[in-house]
Amino acid sequence: MALKHLPRRTVRLRLTFLYGGLYLVSGAALLAVTYILVHHAVSSQVVSGQTLLPPHDGGGLQPGGVPGPGPGSSEGAVMDMLPPEAAEAMAHQRSTLLDQLLIQSGIALGIMSLISLALGWIVAGRILRPLRTITAAARDISATSLNRRLALQGPSDELKELGDTFDDLLSRLEASFLAQRQFVANASHELRTPLARQRTLGQVALSDPEASVDSLRAAHERILVAGAQQERLIEALLTLTRGHAGIEVRQPFDLGQLTREVTGARTQEAALRSVTLRVRTEPATAAGNRNLAERLVVNLVDNAIKYNADDGWVDVSVRVMAGHAVLTVANSGPVVPPEAVERLFQPFQRLGTARTGGRRDGLGLGLSIVQAIAAAHGARLTTVARPEGGLITTVSFPVVTMHRALNGNGAMPVRTG
């Protein structure tokens, strides 16, 4: 029960005792060295103080005819040459001097140790002040106040670097929360549209007193189309979520072969849209989730075919550059303003009917999914607008380093860099 009344072992308290302990050890070591030096100095004075006359033939004479110490005489030899009373007085005087030195030095060390503890407490508090600021801000900041920043002042030391890192974290969290809110709002709107269409179609069909089998069949077919659109939207949202979740186990796959499979399945669609599809691939090993990588290629190729011009073209290439598997999809099409390219990768963002040819058959998630999957694979994604119209999108996957060891699932783990 008595332990509950002890002060909490804070970092400031530990630093204070650390500073005090270091000073105590250093002071004790300095006191020991000083004591030894004074002891040696006093002993040397005793020897040299008895040699009043220069030695002759290994010895000298003191006043009264007493032979003086010769060269190299020790303190004991000098004391033996003195009368007992003088030797005892000298020994007592030396012992008293050394004792006083030890006692006074110990008292001074104790006083300075207490002062060092107080100074250590103050210095530790000043050093830890930025940490208290960070702690207080972290307690106060919530999802509704992520716009706050610490903005620590002072020299560019480790604590200021910690504060700046915390500010950067808050900036990323704020951007993530804003994007999440916008995404939820857009997703709810996009999901509400097919549901409202289904309900309207059903209500119109039921409210028609002269409804026939053909009219009811047509209404149900339109309801099924709206349901299929809703299913595609939900599947796209799930894929986007998987892309943001990252990849736990990476497996090698041939990006060139995967691209050939995707483009081969879309040759007929490109021909129906009067789009020339040109494909140039070579074996290129990448690592990650093959299904997600396939969705990345599918979305890029589908967007290039769908948002194109009459008698347009799409160039798809896979090559190896400096060990990186690089996918490039270029297409003709309407002119995209360079400042609007980044907006294409935001969920549910469209550039209007000029790019879609007056159609609104897309979900607005294709390039968002591409960006999420590329980030999950650690791939570098760049998109530029062609001055003549269309886009050039490049995805560069990290270099793959194979490991011989197999994990528990039998999959070959790889390291990317």
Side-chain angles (χ1 to χ4, degrees), residues 166-178:
F166 190 78
D167 286 343
D168 293 339
L169 174 62
L170 290 178
S171 299
R172 292 193 297 270
L173 286 176
E174 182 182 13
S176 177
F177 269 80
L178 290 176

Side-chain angles (χ1 to χ4, degrees), residues 35 39 42-43 46 75 79 82-101:
Y35 184 84
H39 183 279
V42 171
S43 300
V46 170
E75 177 188 356
M79 300 295 287
L82 295 175
E85 296 80 2
E88 183 179 355
M90 185 174 294
H92 178 71
Q93 182 180 7
R94 185 188 61 180
S95 177
T96 302
L97 176 63
L98 294 177
D99 290 344
Q100 289 180 353
L101 173 65

Side-chain angles (χ1 to χ4, degrees), residues 315-333:
D315 281 345
V316 181
S317 65
V318 174
R319 62 190 185 281
V320 178
M321 297 181 60
H324 297 265
V326 180
L327 167 69
T328 302
V329 178
N331 64 280
S332 60

